[in-house]
Amino acid sequence: MVLVGASGAGKSSLLRAGLVAGLEGEGVLLVPGPGTRPFRTLVESWATAVGRPFAEVESELGTGRFGGAGPGVLVIDQLEEIFTQCRDVEERELFVRALAGAGPDGPRIVLGLRADFYDQGLNDARLARIIRSGQFTVSAMSDDELRAAVEQPAEHAGLRLEDGLSDHILRELRQERAAEGNAVALPFLAHALRQTWSGRRGTTLTFAAYQAAGGIRTSVARTADEVHDALGADDRTRLRELLLRMVLVVDDGGRAVRRRVPVRELDRVADLLGRLAAARLVVVDQDEAQLCHDSLLNAWPQLRDWIADDRAGLLARRRLGDAADGWHEAGRPESGLYRGDQLASARTQLAGSGGTLPMRPVDRDFLRASGRAEHLTRNLRRAAVSVVTVLALLATTLAVLARGAQRDAEGRATVLLADQVAAQADAMRERDPQTALRLSLAAYRAARTPATRSSLYAAYLTETPVEVSAGHREPVLNLAFSKDGDVLATSQRRGRVQLWDISRRNVPVKAGTLKLKGSAAIAFHPRTRLLAAQTASELALWDVTDPRPARGVPEGTTYTLGFAPDGRTLAAGSAEGRLRLWDVSKPSAPLLRTGSLQPT
């Protein structure tokens, strides 16, 4: 049977506090989550439950058999972890084979699956059969069920809610569910009720305690901020490191989920882990720690910003971990290492994360081995190029010395050799343009043929590209150059406007950054370094020597911007076909001129 529901719908509560608790004493085994090694986790749990050696159980489950007497019900929560955390195809295959092969003599299997991973479950034919034949859907709770969830536990504990508090909570909850969905609202409700209980007056749960907790919307964020604000600067850095280690970016789209972290890896931050656990922001069991719920990834603005700032580093770390694990399990072969652009990209992204996440030993070994292999390859390549260069120069010299005696015959040989050197220069120009230039020049001096002349022209026109990157991989929507050509402005998604000092063309330097509320059209003043940036809700004028922008507030979506030749008027074209004119003669106080132009 597969229990399917949205994140926060109550699947884990139903499985653990409902099914497992109801079957207590009747032979039930709970696996909280498959984790990164789902088959190994299953084997260890089943071997412990039946009291048999790990190797025997591994052999049986590997063939899809649950041998021997054991629990009658096997409950596996968070099945989606085989897609989000397990990157070993063979490990996932063995796990699914064991579940799908359980016959009538094996346990009854109950799986918990998040609805947003439903399609990935259907992509596996064996899991699809289980889903089709035994699906139980956890739908959103009704108003009556929500009221019962608020009032009945209090009544059972001998508490009462202040008059009107239940109605107020349910009204806020309906608003929150309409805005954010069940996945966020219910975990927030649980946290707000716990905080209200902590601030109760006698046996009464009060409005004051509920409001002090922050209500449905801010209770989790307020608790997290209290933990964060009570720390010093160094401990806040350690807190950021700890929380980001519990986050996993699962795809290139940046979707983040919780990550289980072995407790043994968190000895250095055990004090912070205890604070988070006491605040019910982190769940810690005997072996692992993880965030209390996926909703925390969006509920606390500070954590949300940390994830956004380091999303590229988190994704690079996940890919590095997958590659390092595969390399280690294959016996650490040289063929499994990073090379060239892949290694350079990984190093850049990891360096861009500011060293936030300490690497595992296997990750460090993988990068060191990749660096050594790349260094050796580079040295061999340079040696080969040097040999070719020396041979080319030697051939040119010999050709000049022998020209008088055997001009005709050796002239043809010289032409042939020069063309070969030119071809060699063309072949290596992309990866080593400097050496290619020397070879092209040597070939042209040896024989002025169309091939050597073309090679020399190509060498002259070749420039080594410079990548302008600041760790932010958002698509660039617009570009603008200052009048003097020394400042480049880029407009990117999510409202980022970035300045670059390109006065030295080969060494661009990152300058200031302006963050707006949406994607912006940009334009430079025709005479000064005044930059205009306009979004759907604001106009910013920015002198690069003064980072404080002055803003106006337009209406509608802006498609284009342009300055008048005298620089005193700024025109903004919008989605409605309107052309609005701004008087920017005083950049700190731009004025919208009366009226606007609209084509008929």
Side-chain angles (χ1 to χ4, degrees):
M1 176 177 292
V2 179
L3 194 71
V4 179
S7 175
K11 301 182 300 302
S12 294
S13 298
L14 177 57
L15 289 176
R16 303 182 192 194
L19 178 62
V20 174
L23 294 175
E24 187 175 6
E26 299 182 22
V28 58
L29 172 63
L30 170 66
V31 178
T36 58
R37 302 292 298 275
F39 182 66
R40 184 178 183 84
T41 300
L42 177 61
V43 172
E44 288 177 345
S45 301
W46 191 257
T48 301
V50 300
R52 296 173 57 201
F54 179 91
E56 290 183 11
V57 175
E58 182 182 34
S59 178
E60 291 178 354
L61 292 185
T63 59
R65 294 184 297 108
F66 285 80
V73 178
L74 171 62
V75 179
I76 302 177
D77 195 9
Q78 300 185 59
L79 181 66
E80 63 275 1
E81 288 184 359
I82 68 173
F83 306 116
T84 62
Q85 300 197 25
C86 176
R87 298 295 165 183
D88 189 326
V89 176
E90 182 178 2
E91 184 82 13
R92 187 186 306 130
E93 166 67 23
L94 290 171
F95 176 80
V96 175
R97 183 190 303 170
L99 297 184
D105 296 333
R108 179 71 183 272
I109 297 176
V110 181
L111 309 172
L113 176 65
R114 264 176 53 176
D116 48 338
F117 291 92
Y118 187 82
D119 57 339
Q120 292 179 254
L122 293 179
N123 287 337
D124 188 293
R126 294 160 300 181
L127 287 179
R129 286 195 296 270
I130 299 175
I131 293 174
R132 287 196 300 268
S133 62
Q135 178 175 316
F136 184 89
T137 303
V138 181
S139 57
M141 297 170 68
S142 66
D143 286 351
D144 291 340
E145 290 171 334
L146 290 171
R147 183 179 294 276
V150 172
E151 296 177 349
Q152 290 185 11
E155 180 181 348
H156 180 75
L159 304 172
R160 75 175 188 86
L161 279 75
E162 205 167 46
D163 292 342
L165 179 56
S166 293
D167 294 331
H168 180 72
I169 292 175
L170 293 177
R171 182 166 55 256
E172 279 197 357
L173 183 61
R174 281 192 294 270
Q175 294 172 352
E176 199 62 37
R177 292 173 70 178
E180 301 290 346
N182 198 57
V184 173
L186 291 184
F188 285 5
L189 171 63
H191 190 88
L193 289 176
R194 282 195 298 267
Q195 296 299 102
T196 303
W197 176 84
S198 298
R200 67 192 181 281
R201 185 177 65 244
T203 59
T204 303
L205 305 181
T206 65
F207 266 103
Y210 178 76
Q211 295 296 339
I216 297 295
R217 163 47 54 181
T218 60
S219 60
V220 174
R222 182 170 297 182
T223 300
D225 282 334
E226 289 174 356
V227 174
H228 177 270
D229 295 343
L231 301 175
D234 293 341
D235 286 337
R236 290 179 183 180
T237 300
R238 294 168 61 227
L239 178 66
R240 180 179 185 226
E241 171 190 317
L242 171 60
L243 291 176
L244 287 182
R245 291 191 69 175
M246 297 183 180
V247 175
L248 182 68
V249 177
V250 298
D251 53 35
D252 293 341
R255 182 169 51 165
V257 297
R258 292 179 294 170
R259 175 178 179 264
R260 297 174 182 272
V261 180
V263 174
R264 66 178 181 275
E265 297 181 7
L266 303 177
D267 291 340
R268 295 176 55 193
V269 289
D271 54 331
L272 296 179
L273 190 63
R275 291 195 181 197
L276 294 173
R280 297 180 180 269
L281 299 174
V282 166
V283 177
V284 182
D285 58 24
Q286 184 177 0
D287 300 317
E288 296 179 323
Q290 64 175 334
L291 298 177
C292 63
H293 197 273
D294 284 326
S295 59
L296 184 60
L297 298 171
N298 296 309
W300 188 21
Q302 181 67 73
L303 177 57
R304 189 170 62 242
D305 291 343
W306 286 342
I307 294 173
D309 292 342
D310 204 23
R311 195 176 300 277
L314 289 169
L315 185 58
R317 188 60 50 82
R318 191 210 79 188
R319 291 171 173 168
L320 172 64
D322 294 343
D325 289 340
W327 169 73
H328 178 72
E329 292 177 5
R332 302 196 168 194
E334 186 174 344
S335 60
L337 298 172
Y338 277 171
R339 298 295 179 89
D341 292 343
Q342 191 177 28
L343 177 60
S345 176
R347 285 175 169 171
T348 299
Q349 290 177 333
L350 293 174
S353 66
T356 299
L357 304 177
M359 288 187 288
R360 302 175 301 163
V362 67
D363 296 340
R364 289 194 293 269
D365 292 345
F366 178 79
L367 281 181
R368 289 195 193 103
S370 297
R372 287 194 298 268
E374 180 68 12
H375 182 71
L376 178 60
T377 301
R378 190 182 302 114
N379 287 342
L380 291 175
R381 187 183 302 119
R382 287 175 178 173
V385 171
S386 298
V387 170
V388 172
T389 303
V390 170
L391 290 176
L393 293 175
L394 179 60
T396 303
T397 302
L398 292 175
V400 172
L401 294 175
R403 181 175 303 175
Q406 298 179 351
R407 181 177 302 273
D408 294 338
E410 293 196 5
R412 290 193 295 271
T414 300
V415 169
L416 179 60
L417 181 58
D419 287 347
Q420 290 175 344
V421 174
Q424 177 67 25
D426 292 339
M428 65 186 305
R429 180 163 291 113
E430 182 175 353
R431 65 176 184 272
D432 194 347
Q434 292 297 327
T435 301
L437 172 61
R438 296 189 185 99
L439 289 178
S440 296
L441 182 59
Y444 184 74
R445 286 174 175 172
R448 299 185 180 185
T449 68
T452 59
R453 185 179 296 107
S454 175
S455 178
L456 188 60
Y457 287 163
Y460 177 77
L461 295 176
T462 298
E463 293 185 3
T464 303
V466 178
E467 179 180 358
V468 177
S469 173
H472 299 281
R473 294 293 181 176
E474 294 292 342
V476 174
L477 305 178
N478 293 294
L479 294 173
F481 286 92
S482 63
K483 178 66 175 180
D484 56 13
D486 288 342
V487 179
L488 167 66
T490 63
S491 171
Q492 299 171 261
R493 286 186 180 172
R494 302 178 184 265
R496 177 181 293 274
V497 177
Q498 180 67 56
L499 291 181
W500 294 88
D501 180 356
I502 56 173
S503 55
R504 296 176 62 192
R505 297 298 189 259
N506 293 331
V507 189
V509 177
K510 180 182 177 183
T513 301
L514 178 65
K515 290 188 176 181
L516 303 176
K517 297 178 181 178
S519 300
I522 56 177
F524 263 110
H525 192 281
R527 298 179 182 175
T528 69
R529 287 187 177 179
L530 180 66
L531 176 68
Q534 182 157 349
T535 70
S537 59
E538 59 185 333
L539 169 66
L541 299 177
W542 188 12
D543 187 338
V544 299
T545 62
D546 183 0
R548 294 170 298 177
R551 301 184 180 182
V553 181
E555 299 176 354
T557 301
T558 299
Y559 285 150
T560 56
L561 282 177
F563 280 96
D566 60 3
R568 298 174 60 85
T569 302
L570 175 68
S574 69
E576 300 85 6
R578 292 182 178 275
L579 181 65
R580 293 176 174 83
L581 301 179
W582 294 82
D583 183 349
V584 293
S585 55
K586 186 178 181 182
S588 62
L591 297 176
L592 180 64
R593 293 184 174 178
T594 304
S596 59
L597 303 179
Q598 181 170 359
T600 57

